[in-house]
Amino acid sequence: MFVGDHAQATPDKPAVVMAGSGETITYRELDDASNRLAQLLRAAGLGPGDHVAIHAENLTEYFTAYWAALRSGLYFTTVNRYLTAEEAAYIVNDCGAKALVVSDAYRDLAAELVPMTPDVDVRLMIGGEADGYENFDRALAAHPAEPLAEQPRGEVMLYSSGTTGRPKGIQRPLSGEPVGAPNALVDGVLSGLFGFSADTVYLSPAPLYHSAPLGFTTGVQSLGGTAVVMERFEPAEALRAIEAYSVTHSQWVPTMFTRLLKLPEEVRTAHDLSSHRVAIHAAAPCPVEVKQQMMDWWGPILHEYYAGTEFNGFCYVDPETWLARPGTVGKPILGIPHICDDEGTEQPTGEAGTIYFELEAMPFEYHNDPDKTKGAQHPDHANWSTLGDVGYLDDDGYLYLTDRKAFMIISGGVNIYPQEIEDAMIMHPKIADVAVIGVPDDEMGEQVKAVVQLAEGVPASEDTEQELLDWTRHKIAHYKAPRSVDFRPELPRLPTGKLYKRVLKDEYWTGRATRIGS
Protein backbone atom coordinates (compact mmCIF):
# COMPACT_ATOMS: atom_id res chain seq x y z
CA MET A 1 0.00 0.00 0.00
CA PHE A 2 1.06 3.61 -0.53
CA VAL A 3 -0.50 7.08 -0.73
CA GLY A 4 -2.09 6.36 -4.12
CA ASP A 5 -4.14 3.53 -2.63
CA HIS A 6 -5.33 5.65 0.30
CA ALA A 7 -6.17 8.56 -2.00
CA GLN A 8 -8.76 6.23 -3.53
CA ALA A 9 -10.04 4.71 -0.27
CA THR A 10 -9.89 7.69 2.14
CA PRO A 11 -9.24 10.78 0.00
CA ASP A 12 -10.17 13.36 2.64
CA LYS A 13 -8.25 11.82 5.53
CA PRO A 14 -5.24 13.83 6.75
CA ALA A 15 -1.97 12.30 5.58
CA VAL A 16 0.12 14.92 7.39
CA VAL A 17 -0.60 17.67 9.90
CA MET A 18 1.96 20.29 10.91
CA ALA A 19 1.71 20.40 14.71
CA GLY A 20 2.34 24.11 15.18
CA SER A 21 0.43 25.70 12.33
CA GLY A 22 -2.23 23.02 11.96
CA GLU A 23 -1.67 22.93 8.19
CA THR A 24 -3.22 19.70 6.90
CA ILE A 25 -2.66 17.79 3.65
CA THR A 26 -5.14 15.06 2.75
CA TYR A 27 -4.32 11.85 0.96
CA ARG A 28 -5.95 13.12 -2.23
CA GLU A 29 -3.87 16.31 -2.10
CA LEU A 30 -0.64 14.44 -1.39
CA ASP A 31 -1.33 11.94 -4.16
CA ASP A 32 -2.10 14.68 -6.69
CA ALA A 33 0.96 16.77 -5.78
CA SER A 34 3.36 13.82 -5.83
CA ASN A 35 1.94 12.69 -9.19
CA ARG A 36 2.51 16.16 -10.63
CA LEU A 37 6.11 16.22 -9.39
CA ALA A 38 6.70 12.69 -10.70
CA GLN A 39 5.44 13.82 -14.11
CA LEU A 40 7.71 16.88 -13.99
CA LEU A 41 10.78 14.82 -13.15
CA ARG A 42 10.03 12.26 -15.86
CA ALA A 43 9.49 15.03 -18.43
CA ALA A 44 12.90 16.45 -17.42
CA GLY A 45 14.50 13.14 -18.29
CA LEU A 46 14.88 11.55 -14.84
CA GLY A 47 14.35 7.81 -14.83
CA PRO A 48 14.74 4.88 -12.44
CA GLY A 49 18.05 5.04 -10.61
CA ASP A 50 18.44 8.82 -10.85
CA HIS A 51 18.59 10.97 -7.72
CA VAL A 52 16.46 13.74 -6.20
CA ALA A 53 17.83 15.76 -3.25
CA ILE A 54 15.93 18.03 -0.85
CA HIS A 55 17.19 20.77 1.47
CA ALA A 56 14.35 22.15 3.60
CA GLU A 57 12.91 22.50 7.06
CA ASN A 58 9.97 20.32 8.14
CA LEU A 59 7.31 21.12 5.53
CA THR A 60 4.39 19.27 3.95
CA GLU A 61 6.21 19.51 0.60
CA TYR A 62 8.82 17.13 2.00
CA PHE A 63 6.27 14.36 1.57
CA THR A 64 5.36 15.50 -1.93
CA ALA A 65 9.02 15.18 -2.94
CA TYR A 66 9.43 11.85 -1.16
CA TRP A 67 6.42 10.15 -2.74
CA ALA A 68 7.22 11.59 -6.17
CA ALA A 69 10.63 9.93 -6.00
CA LEU A 70 9.32 6.69 -4.52
CA ARG A 71 6.65 6.29 -7.22
CA SER A 72 9.17 7.03 -10.00
CA GLY A 73 11.95 4.57 -9.19
CA LEU A 74 14.23 7.40 -8.07
CA TYR A 75 16.64 7.67 -5.17
CA PHE A 76 15.61 10.30 -2.59
CA THR A 77 18.38 12.03 -0.64
CA THR A 78 17.78 14.43 2.24
CA VAL A 79 20.30 17.14 3.12
CA ASN A 80 20.76 18.22 6.72
CA ARG A 81 19.40 21.76 6.73
CA TYR A 82 22.06 22.93 9.20
CA LEU A 83 24.95 22.27 6.83
CA THR A 84 26.98 24.98 5.15
CA ALA A 85 26.73 25.46 1.39
CA GLU A 86 30.00 23.59 0.89
CA GLU A 87 28.82 20.66 3.03
CA ALA A 88 25.42 20.56 1.31
CA ALA A 89 27.03 20.71 -2.14
CA TYR A 90 29.22 17.75 -1.23
CA ILE A 91 26.13 15.59 -0.62
CA VAL A 92 24.24 16.85 -3.69
CA ASN A 93 27.25 16.17 -5.90
CA ASP A 94 28.24 12.91 -4.25
CA CYS A 95 24.79 11.36 -4.68
CA GLY A 96 24.67 12.58 -8.29
CA ALA A 97 21.39 14.47 -7.86
CA LYS A 98 19.78 15.61 -11.10
CA ALA A 99 16.98 17.41 -9.27
CA LEU A 100 17.23 19.63 -6.18
CA VAL A 101 14.34 20.91 -4.08
CA VAL A 102 15.10 23.71 -1.61
CA SER A 103 13.09 25.93 0.70
CA ASP A 104 12.78 29.69 0.42
CA ALA A 105 13.95 29.79 4.05
CA TYR A 106 17.42 28.88 2.75
CA ARG A 107 17.47 31.06 -0.38
CA ASP A 108 20.96 32.44 0.33
CA LEU A 109 22.37 28.95 0.58
CA ALA A 110 20.35 27.92 -2.47
CA ALA A 111 22.00 30.69 -4.49
CA GLU A 112 25.44 29.50 -3.40
CA LEU A 113 24.60 25.96 -4.46
CA VAL A 114 23.88 26.86 -8.10
CA PRO A 115 27.51 27.15 -9.27
CA MET A 116 28.66 24.49 -6.80
CA THR A 117 26.31 21.78 -8.18
CA PRO A 118 26.66 22.04 -11.97
CA ASP A 119 25.16 18.62 -12.74
CA VAL A 120 21.73 19.45 -11.30
CA ASP A 121 19.21 19.85 -14.14
CA VAL A 122 16.01 20.63 -12.19
CA ARG A 123 15.93 23.20 -9.37
CA LEU A 124 12.71 23.94 -7.49
CA MET A 125 12.14 26.36 -4.60
CA ILE A 126 9.35 25.81 -2.07
CA GLY A 127 7.61 29.04 -1.05
CA GLY A 128 9.42 31.36 -3.43
CA GLU A 129 11.69 31.63 -6.42
CA ALA A 130 15.23 32.74 -7.10
CA ASP A 131 17.78 32.82 -9.89
CA GLY A 132 18.26 29.27 -11.12
CA TYR A 133 15.15 27.94 -9.33
CA GLU A 134 11.52 27.56 -10.41
CA ASN A 135 8.71 28.12 -7.95
CA PHE A 136 7.70 24.67 -6.66
CA ASP A 137 3.92 25.13 -6.83
CA ARG A 138 3.88 26.80 -10.24
CA ALA A 139 6.18 24.18 -11.71
CA LEU A 140 3.96 21.35 -10.45
CA ALA A 141 0.78 23.04 -11.71
CA ALA A 142 2.03 22.70 -15.28
CA HIS A 143 1.88 18.89 -15.09
CA PRO A 144 -1.06 16.48 -14.78
CA ALA A 145 -2.02 14.87 -11.48
CA GLU A 146 -1.99 11.46 -13.13
CA PRO A 147 0.26 8.59 -12.10
CA LEU A 148 3.05 7.54 -14.41
CA ALA A 149 2.27 4.59 -16.64
CA GLU A 150 4.71 2.53 -14.59
CA GLN A 151 5.52 3.23 -10.94
CA PRO A 152 8.60 1.24 -9.85
CA ARG A 153 9.51 1.68 -6.22
CA GLY A 154 12.34 4.10 -5.54
CA GLU A 155 14.60 4.14 -2.50
CA VAL A 156 15.96 6.56 0.05
CA MET A 157 19.71 7.10 -0.08
CA LEU A 158 20.55 8.92 3.12
CA TYR A 159 23.86 10.14 4.46
CA SER A 160 25.31 9.47 7.88
CA SER A 161 25.34 12.50 10.17
CA GLY A 162 29.07 13.00 9.80
CA THR A 163 29.62 13.52 13.53
CA THR A 164 33.10 11.99 13.24
CA GLY A 165 33.98 12.81 9.61
CA ARG A 166 32.56 13.30 6.11
CA PRO A 167 28.96 12.04 5.72
CA LYS A 168 28.71 8.68 3.97
CA GLY A 169 25.94 7.87 1.48
CA ILE A 170 24.17 4.60 2.29
CA GLN A 171 22.99 2.99 -0.93
CA ARG A 172 20.87 -0.09 -1.51
CA PRO A 173 19.88 -1.53 -4.88
CA LEU A 174 16.45 -0.76 -6.28
CA SER A 175 14.06 -3.68 -5.88
CA GLY A 176 12.32 -3.32 -9.24
CA GLU A 177 8.99 -3.93 -7.47
CA PRO A 178 5.99 -1.60 -7.82
CA VAL A 179 5.74 1.26 -5.33
CA GLY A 180 2.89 -0.37 -3.39
CA ALA A 181 4.70 -3.68 -2.85
CA PRO A 182 5.13 -4.97 0.74
CA ASN A 183 7.83 -3.15 2.69
CA ALA A 184 9.91 -4.72 5.48
CA LEU A 185 10.02 -1.55 7.61
CA VAL A 186 6.28 -0.99 7.36
CA ASP A 187 5.06 -4.58 7.68
CA GLY A 188 7.74 -6.03 9.94
CA VAL A 189 8.57 -3.12 12.24
CA LEU A 190 5.80 -0.53 12.28
CA SER A 191 2.86 -2.95 12.09
CA GLY A 192 4.49 -6.03 13.58
CA LEU A 193 6.35 -4.56 16.55
CA PHE A 194 4.65 -1.26 17.31
CA GLY A 195 1.07 -1.90 16.23
CA PHE A 196 0.81 0.87 13.64
CA SER A 197 -2.33 0.82 11.48
CA ALA A 198 -4.65 3.11 9.55
CA ASP A 199 -5.89 4.37 12.94
CA THR A 200 -2.41 5.53 14.03
CA VAL A 201 -1.79 9.19 14.76
CA TYR A 202 1.99 9.45 14.90
CA LEU A 203 3.88 12.39 16.41
CA SER A 204 7.27 13.10 14.86
CA PRO A 205 9.21 15.77 16.81
CA ALA A 206 12.49 15.47 14.87
CA PRO A 207 13.80 16.77 11.53
CA LEU A 208 12.60 14.91 8.45
CA TYR A 209 16.08 14.79 6.94
CA HIS A 210 16.96 12.10 9.49
CA SER A 211 16.26 8.45 8.64
CA ALA A 212 13.90 7.49 11.47
CA PRO A 213 11.52 10.50 11.24
CA LEU A 214 11.38 10.17 7.46
CA GLY A 215 10.95 6.38 7.52
CA PHE A 216 8.32 6.31 10.26
CA THR A 217 6.20 9.23 8.97
CA THR A 218 6.11 7.87 5.43
CA GLY A 219 5.55 4.38 6.84
CA VAL A 220 2.47 5.68 8.66
CA GLN A 221 1.28 7.10 5.34
CA SER A 222 1.85 3.71 3.70
CA LEU A 223 -0.60 2.29 6.21
CA GLY A 224 -3.14 5.10 5.82
CA GLY A 225 -2.59 6.73 9.22
CA THR A 226 -1.83 10.36 10.03
CA ALA A 227 1.62 11.84 10.62
CA VAL A 228 1.70 14.85 12.96
CA VAL A 229 4.99 16.64 12.34
CA MET A 230 6.48 19.25 14.66
CA GLU A 231 8.15 22.13 12.87
CA ARG A 232 10.85 21.91 15.56
CA PHE A 233 11.07 20.16 18.91
CA GLU A 234 10.01 22.13 21.95
CA PRO A 235 9.17 20.01 25.02
CA ALA A 236 6.02 21.80 26.22
CA GLU A 237 4.72 22.02 22.64
CA ALA A 238 5.23 18.27 22.21
CA LEU A 239 2.95 17.58 25.19
CA ARG A 240 0.36 20.00 23.80
CA ALA A 241 0.45 18.22 20.43
CA ILE A 242 -0.15 14.80 22.02
CA GLU A 243 -3.35 16.12 23.59
CA ALA A 244 -4.48 18.33 20.69
CA TYR A 245 -4.19 15.64 18.01
CA SER A 246 -4.97 12.56 20.17
CA VAL A 247 -1.57 11.11 19.33
CA THR A 248 -1.36 7.31 19.67
CA HIS A 249 2.30 6.70 18.73
CA SER A 250 5.46 8.79 18.85
CA GLN A 251 9.23 8.58 18.52
CA TRP A 252 11.94 10.34 20.54
CA VAL A 253 15.65 10.52 21.28
CA PRO A 254 17.08 10.52 24.83
CA THR A 255 17.94 14.23 24.84
CA MET A 256 14.25 14.97 24.27
CA PHE A 257 13.36 12.88 27.32
CA THR A 258 15.86 14.84 29.40
CA ARG A 259 14.33 18.15 28.31
CA LEU A 260 10.82 16.87 28.97
CA LEU A 261 11.77 15.73 32.46
CA LYS A 262 13.27 19.14 33.28
CA LEU A 263 10.01 20.97 32.54
CA PRO A 264 8.30 22.48 35.60
CA GLU A 265 5.83 20.13 37.24
CA GLU A 266 2.86 22.35 36.37
CA VAL A 267 3.78 22.15 32.67
CA ARG A 268 4.33 18.39 32.75
CA THR A 269 0.87 17.78 34.22
CA ALA A 270 -1.06 20.35 32.16
CA HIS A 271 -2.06 18.03 29.29
CA ASP A 272 -4.15 14.89 28.82
CA LEU A 273 -1.81 12.21 27.44
CA SER A 274 -4.26 9.31 27.72
CA SER A 275 -4.40 8.67 23.94
CA HIS A 276 -0.66 7.99 23.91
CA ARG A 277 -0.13 4.21 23.73
CA VAL A 278 3.37 3.70 22.28
CA ALA A 279 6.43 5.93 22.72
CA ILE A 280 9.41 4.70 20.71
CA HIS A 281 12.99 5.79 21.24
CA ALA A 282 16.31 5.11 19.56
CA ALA A 283 19.32 6.95 18.01
CA ALA A 284 21.50 6.94 21.15
CA PRO A 285 21.84 5.03 24.42
CA CYS A 286 19.30 6.27 26.95
CA PRO A 287 20.49 6.72 30.55
CA VAL A 288 18.73 4.15 32.72
CA GLU A 289 17.58 6.74 35.24
CA VAL A 290 16.13 8.97 32.51
CA LYS A 291 14.14 6.10 30.98
CA GLN A 292 12.94 4.94 34.39
CA GLN A 293 11.64 8.43 35.17
CA MET A 294 9.86 8.57 31.81
CA MET A 295 8.25 5.19 32.58
CA ASP A 296 7.14 6.52 35.96
CA TRP A 297 5.54 9.51 34.22
CA TRP A 298 4.07 8.04 31.02
CA GLY A 299 3.63 4.46 32.19
CA PRO A 300 5.16 1.32 30.62
CA ILE A 301 4.71 2.51 27.03
CA LEU A 302 8.37 3.09 26.10
CA HIS A 303 9.59 0.79 23.34
CA GLU A 304 13.24 0.87 22.28
CA TYR A 305 15.09 -0.28 19.21
CA TYR A 306 18.70 -0.25 18.12
CA ALA A 307 19.47 0.08 14.41
CA GLY A 308 21.21 2.39 11.99
CA THR A 309 20.37 3.95 8.67
CA GLU A 310 22.40 1.10 7.17
CA PHE A 311 19.81 -1.34 8.58
CA ASN A 312 22.50 -4.00 8.99
CA GLY A 313 20.87 -5.29 12.17
CA PHE A 314 17.90 -4.54 14.41
CA CYS A 315 17.35 -5.09 18.15
CA TYR A 316 14.15 -4.43 20.06
CA VAL A 317 13.01 -4.39 23.67
CA ASP A 318 9.47 -3.91 24.98
CA PRO A 319 8.73 -1.97 28.19
CA GLU A 320 8.19 -4.99 30.42
CA THR A 321 11.43 -6.69 29.36
CA TRP A 322 13.40 -3.48 29.80
CA LEU A 323 12.06 -3.00 33.33
CA ALA A 324 13.36 -6.50 34.12
CA ARG A 325 16.72 -5.80 32.40
CA PRO A 326 17.37 -2.04 32.73
CA GLY A 327 19.80 -0.73 30.14
CA THR A 328 19.37 -3.35 27.45
CA VAL A 329 18.48 -2.37 23.87
CA GLY A 330 16.96 -5.80 23.44
CA LYS A 331 17.47 -8.95 21.44
CA PRO A 332 18.16 -8.99 17.71
CA ILE A 333 15.26 -9.59 15.35
CA LEU A 334 17.44 -8.93 12.30
CA GLY A 335 21.02 -10.18 12.13
CA ILE A 336 23.14 -12.32 14.44
CA PRO A 337 25.26 -10.19 16.79
CA HIS A 338 28.97 -10.79 17.34
CA ILE A 339 31.08 -8.85 19.85
CA CYS A 340 34.71 -8.59 18.71
CA ASP A 341 37.95 -7.02 19.85
CA ASP A 342 40.12 -4.78 17.67
CA GLU A 343 41.61 -7.81 15.90
CA GLY A 344 38.17 -9.25 15.11
CA THR A 345 38.27 -12.03 17.72
CA GLU A 346 34.91 -12.75 19.33
CA GLN A 347 34.65 -11.77 22.98
CA PRO A 348 33.13 -13.90 25.75
CA THR A 349 29.71 -13.07 27.18
CA GLY A 350 29.77 -9.87 29.23
CA GLU A 351 32.93 -8.49 27.60
CA ALA A 352 32.56 -5.27 25.62
CA GLY A 353 33.74 -4.94 22.03
CA THR A 354 32.75 -3.76 18.59
CA ILE A 355 29.24 -4.87 17.64
CA TYR A 356 28.94 -6.72 14.32
CA PHE A 357 25.76 -8.11 12.80
CA GLU A 358 25.82 -11.16 10.57
CA LEU A 359 23.43 -11.33 7.61
CA GLU A 360 23.45 -13.53 4.51
CA ALA A 361 25.20 -10.76 2.60
CA MET A 362 26.46 -7.23 3.20
CA PRO A 363 23.20 -5.21 3.17
CA PHE A 364 24.60 -1.85 2.05
CA GLU A 365 27.55 -0.02 0.58
CA TYR A 366 28.85 3.49 1.17
CA HIS A 367 28.38 5.39 -2.07
CA ASN A 368 31.62 6.24 -3.87
CA ASP A 369 33.65 5.01 -0.91
CA PRO A 370 34.73 1.35 -1.15
CA ASP A 371 37.33 1.87 1.59
CA LYS A 372 34.68 2.90 4.12
CA THR A 373 32.45 0.03 3.00
CA LYS A 374 35.33 -2.37 3.62
CA GLY A 375 36.04 -0.67 6.95
CA ALA A 376 32.51 -1.51 8.09
CA GLN A 377 33.07 -5.21 7.39
CA HIS A 378 34.65 -7.75 9.72
CA PRO A 379 38.22 -8.57 8.61
CA ASP A 380 37.40 -12.28 8.19
CA HIS A 381 33.66 -12.25 7.42
CA ALA A 382 32.43 -10.04 4.58
CA ASN A 383 28.80 -10.55 5.66
CA TRP A 384 29.41 -9.19 9.18
CA SER A 385 29.12 -5.40 9.38
CA THR A 386 29.43 -2.76 12.10
CA LEU A 387 28.34 0.82 12.66
CA GLY A 388 31.24 1.41 15.02
CA ASP A 389 29.25 0.95 18.22
CA VAL A 390 30.62 -0.83 21.28
CA GLY A 391 28.61 -3.11 23.55
CA TYR A 392 28.25 -6.53 25.12
CA LEU A 393 25.81 -9.43 25.34
CA ASP A 394 24.48 -10.97 28.55
CA ASP A 395 23.96 -14.69 29.15
CA ASP A 396 20.50 -14.58 27.56
CA GLY A 397 21.60 -12.79 24.39
CA TYR A 398 20.39 -9.30 25.29
CA LEU A 399 22.53 -6.48 23.90
CA TYR A 400 23.81 -3.54 25.96
CA LEU A 401 25.46 -0.50 24.35
CA THR A 402 28.58 1.05 25.82
CA ASP A 403 29.52 3.84 23.40
CA ARG A 404 30.84 4.53 19.94
CA LYS A 405 34.33 3.19 19.29
CA ALA A 406 35.45 6.55 17.88
CA PHE A 407 34.54 8.30 21.15
CA MET A 408 36.48 5.95 23.43
CA ILE A 409 39.11 7.65 25.58
CA ILE A 410 42.41 5.89 26.32
CA SER A 411 43.98 7.40 29.43
CA GLY A 412 47.12 5.77 30.75
CA GLY A 413 46.33 2.66 28.71
CA VAL A 414 42.83 2.30 30.22
CA ASN A 415 39.74 2.35 27.98
CA ILE A 416 37.10 4.81 29.19
CA TYR A 417 33.69 5.14 27.54
CA PRO A 418 32.21 8.67 27.72
CA GLN A 419 28.59 7.53 27.55
CA GLU A 420 28.68 6.11 31.08
CA ILE A 421 30.02 9.40 32.43
CA GLU A 422 27.53 11.48 30.46
CA ASP A 423 24.64 9.33 31.70
CA ALA A 424 25.69 10.03 35.29
CA MET A 425 26.27 13.76 34.87
CA ILE A 426 23.07 14.58 32.94
CA MET A 427 21.01 13.78 36.03
CA HIS A 428 22.55 16.67 37.99
CA PRO A 429 19.89 19.41 38.24
CA LYS A 430 22.37 22.14 37.30
CA ILE A 431 23.29 20.47 33.98
CA ALA A 432 21.20 21.03 30.84
CA ASP A 433 23.51 19.09 28.50
CA VAL A 434 26.91 17.44 28.71
CA ALA A 435 29.58 15.92 26.49
CA VAL A 436 32.59 14.00 27.74
CA ILE A 437 35.67 13.87 25.52
CA GLY A 438 39.34 12.98 25.69
CA VAL A 439 41.74 15.94 25.53
CA PRO A 440 45.55 15.90 25.18
CA ASP A 441 47.58 14.94 28.23
CA ASP A 442 51.35 14.68 27.94
CA GLU A 443 51.62 12.04 30.66
CA MET A 444 48.45 9.95 30.21
CA GLY A 445 47.89 10.42 26.47
CA GLU A 446 44.34 11.63 27.03
CA GLN A 447 42.55 13.23 29.95
CA VAL A 448 38.82 13.04 30.59
CA LYS A 449 37.07 16.41 30.24
CA ALA A 450 33.40 17.31 30.58
CA VAL A 451 31.98 20.10 28.46
CA VAL A 452 28.78 21.31 30.10
CA GLN A 453 25.82 23.45 29.15
CA LEU A 454 24.42 24.66 32.45
CA ALA A 455 20.76 24.99 33.34
CA GLU A 456 19.31 28.45 33.05
CA GLY A 457 20.49 30.80 35.78
CA VAL A 458 23.36 28.60 37.05
CA PRO A 459 26.68 30.51 37.17
CA ALA A 460 29.69 29.14 35.27
CA SER A 461 32.02 29.41 38.25
CA GLU A 462 34.86 27.48 39.86
CA ASP A 463 32.47 26.52 42.67
CA THR A 464 30.01 25.05 40.14
CA GLU A 465 32.81 23.14 38.44
CA GLN A 466 33.96 21.65 41.74
CA GLU A 467 30.40 20.72 42.71
CA LEU A 468 29.92 18.84 39.46
CA LEU A 469 33.27 17.06 39.74
CA ASP A 470 32.63 15.99 43.34
CA TRP A 471 29.11 14.80 42.51
CA THR A 472 30.30 12.76 39.53
CA ARG A 473 33.06 11.07 41.56
CA HIS A 474 30.38 9.72 43.87
CA LYS A 475 28.51 8.26 40.90
CA ILE A 476 31.31 6.51 38.98
CA ALA A 477 34.83 5.18 39.56
CA HIS A 478 37.37 7.94 40.20
CA TYR A 479 39.58 6.97 37.25
CA LYS A 480 36.66 7.57 34.88
CA ALA A 481 35.60 10.87 36.39
CA PRO A 482 36.42 14.10 34.53
CA ARG A 483 39.51 15.97 35.69
CA SER A 484 38.02 19.29 34.63
CA VAL A 485 34.84 20.93 33.35
CA ASP A 486 34.53 23.58 30.66
CA PHE A 487 31.30 25.51 30.20
CA ARG A 488 29.58 26.38 26.91
CA PRO A 489 26.35 28.34 26.24
CA GLU A 490 25.21 25.46 24.02
CA LEU A 491 26.64 22.17 22.80
CA PRO A 492 26.87 21.39 19.06
CA ARG A 493 24.04 18.89 19.02
CA LEU A 494 21.88 18.05 16.01
CA PRO A 495 18.10 18.27 16.40
CA THR A 496 18.15 14.48 16.02
CA GLY A 497 19.94 14.32 19.37
CA LYS A 498 23.35 13.41 17.97
CA LEU A 499 26.28 15.37 19.26
CA TYR A 500 28.97 16.79 16.98
CA LYS A 501 31.79 15.61 19.21
CA ARG A 502 34.21 16.15 16.36
CA VAL A 503 33.59 19.90 16.65
CA LEU A 504 34.32 19.85 20.38
CA LYS A 505 37.39 17.65 20.01
CA ASP A 506 38.82 19.89 17.31
CA GLU A 507 38.97 22.75 19.81
CA TYR A 508 41.37 20.80 21.97
CA TRP A 509 43.26 18.70 19.40
CA THR A 510 44.03 21.29 16.71
CA GLY A 511 47.74 21.15 16.07
CA ARG A 512 48.09 17.91 18.00
CA ALA A 513 48.18 14.35 16.68
CA THR A 514 45.08 12.48 17.81
CA ARG A 515 44.48 8.77 17.75
CA ILE A 516 40.73 9.22 17.27
CA GLY A 517 39.78 8.24 13.74
CA SER A 518 37.26 10.02 11.61
Side-chain angles (χ1 to χ4, degrees):
M1 301 284 280
F2 80 116
V3 295
D5 300 310
H6 304 302
Q8 297 297 317
T10 54
D12 298 323
K13 184 175 181 177
V16 57
V17 180
M18 300 307 295
S21 67
E23 179 189 2
T24 299
I25 303 298
T26 67
Y27 274 100
R28 178 193 289 116
E29 291 168 333
L30 180 55
D31 186 52
D32 285 351
S34 61
N35 273 324
R36 291 182 188 277
L37 181 53
Q39 293 279 2
L40 183 158
L41 295 172
R42 183 59 54 85
L46 276 72
D50 287 331
H51 290 247
V52 177
I54 185 169
H55 182 288
E57 69 273 33
N58 284 4
L59 298 167
T60 58
E61 289 87 352
Y62 228 102
F63 298 101
T64 299
Y66 171 89
W67 283 111
L70 264 285
R71 70 195 307 164
S72 306
L74 304 176
Y75 282 101
F76 183 71
T77 294
T78 64
V79 181
N80 179 338
R81 67 178 187 258
Y82 296 96
L83 298 182
T84 65
E86 182 180 353
E87 292 169 326
Y90 167 79
I91 291 176
V92 173
N93 291 328
D94 187 70
C95 76
K98 291 188 175 181
L100 175 62
V101 179
V102 300
S103 164
D104 179 65
Y106 301 96
R107 60 170 40 244
D108 291 342
L109 181 142
E112 291 184 70
L113 287 178
V114 174
M116 299 170 72
T117 56
D119 294 331
V120 173
D121 297 324
V122 178
R123 298 179 191 271
L124 303 173
M125 180 170 282
I126 300 167
E129 55 187 297
D131 288 346
Y133 293 85
E134 289 186 82
N135 176 271
F136 186 85
D137 288 334
R138 283 204 297 273
L140 266 61
H143 294 269
E146 300 296 327
L148 298 172
E150 294 184 358
Q151 298 189 90
R153 182 176 181 83
E155 260 288 356
V156 293
M157 182 178 137
L158 304 184
Y159 279 70
S160 66
S161 59
T163 53
T164 59
R166 276 283 201 185
K168 302 180 290 290
I170 300 158
Q171 187 169 25
R172 298 179 186 85
L174 297 174
S175 68
E177 297 178 323
V179 63
N183 178 276
L185 172 65
V186 174
D187 299 328
V189 177
L190 272 65
S191 296
L193 284 183
F194 303 128
F196 282 47
S197 70
D199 297 326
T200 293
V201 180
Y202 172 75
L203 179 67
S204 181
L208 291 172
Y209 65 74
H210 191 59
S211 60
L214 182 67
F216 275 66
T217 51
T218 57
V220 168
Q221 291 166 354
S222 294
L223 292 165
T226 298
V228 178
V229 178
M230 295 184 70
E231 288 85 345
R232 66 191 59 81
F233 174 70
E234 197 283 319
E237 172 62 18
L239 298 178
R240 185 203 68 80
I242 293 173
E243 178 180 33
Y245 298 104
S246 298
V247 165
T248 61
H249 295 67
S250 61
Q251 185 166 187
W252 315 82
V253 296
T255 53
M256 293 176 179
F257 287 160
T258 300
R259 291 181 62 187
L260 284 162
L261 288 168
K262 292 191 176 185
L263 287 170
E265 184 67 20
E266 62 271 19
V267 177
R268 288 175 52 181
T269 57
H271 298 284
D272 178 5
L273 309 182
S274 59
S275 65
H276 198 196
R277 301 196 305 270
V278 175
I280 304 158
H281 72 97
C286 186
V288 170
E289 193 171 349
V290 168
K291 186 166 178 176
Q292 183 63 65
Q293 288 186 24
M294 288 301 301
M295 290 272 208
D296 293 342
W297 177 12
W298 285 358
I301 68 169
L302 269 66
H303 296 248
E304 183 172 1
Y305 70 89
Y306 166 64
T309 305
E310 292 85 343
F311 214 63
N312 67 324
F314 192 100
C315 291
Y316 165 74
V317 60
D318 60 50
E320 293 75 17
T321 302
W322 187 90
L323 286 167
R325 300 171 182 270
T328 184
V329 295
K331 276 189 170 181
I333 59 174
L334 173 69
I336 301 170
H338 301 275
I339 309 299
C340 301
D341 65 15
D342 291 343
E343 285 70 46
T345 303
E346 287 204 62
Q347 299 289 86
T349 298
E351 290 291 325
T354 301
I355 303 166
Y356 288 88
F357 283 100
E358 175 187 350
L359 293 172
E360 289 186 7
M362 183 73 171
F364 68 93
E365 65 179 30
Y366 290 122
H367 184 61
N368 290 338
D369 205 330
D371 289 340
K372 285 186 177 177
T373 302
K374 186 173 179 59
Q377 294 173 299
H378 188 277
D380 300 320
H381 303 279
N383 60 328
W384 297 13
S385 59
T386 181
L387 306 181
D389 292 326
V390 176
Y392 64 91
L393 295 166
D394 68 12
D395 290 334
D396 296 315
Y398 285 88
L399 181 65
Y400 295 74
L401 300 183
T402 305
D403 212 327
R404 287 192 62 80
K405 189 174 182 179
F407 297 156
M408 185 176 70
I409 301 166
I410 301 178
S411 183
V414 177
N415 294 349
I416 299 171
Y417 293 105
Q419 186 69 49
E420 178 186 7
I421 308 165
E422 292 164 355
D423 288 355
M425 295 189 74
I426 194 61
M427 299 311 299
H428 195 289
K430 292 185 177 180
I431 293 178
D433 200 2
V434 58
V436 173
I437 59 175
V439 299
D441 185 287
D442 290 336
E443 179 184 359
M444 306 296 284
E446 288 186 282
Q447 181 187 119
V448 181
K449 178 180 284 291
V451 184
V452 167
Q453 175 185 333
L454 290 167
E456 188 174 352
V458 177
S461 64
E462 291 184 5
D463 287 345
T464 301
E465 177 184 17
Q466 194 58 52
E467 178 184 344
L468 298 181
L469 291 174
D470 292 344
W471 189 83
T472 305
R473 288 180 185 129
H474 283 91
K475 293 285 186 178
I476 59 174
H478 279 216
Y479 76 90
K480 301 177 185 177
R483 298 293 184 89
S484 59
V485 176
D486 287 352
F487 298 109
R488 296 284 188 278
E490 188 174 17
L491 297 188
R493 191 180 287 275
L494 294 174
T496 56
K498 288 190 176 182
L499 187 70
Y500 267 131
K501 280 196 176 179
R502 172 171 53 86
V503 174
L504 287 177
K505 289 178 68 64
D506 285 349
E507 294 182 31
Y508 298 92
W509 286 94
T510 299
R512 299 284 295 257
T514 172
R515 58 160 199 84
I516 301 294
S518 62

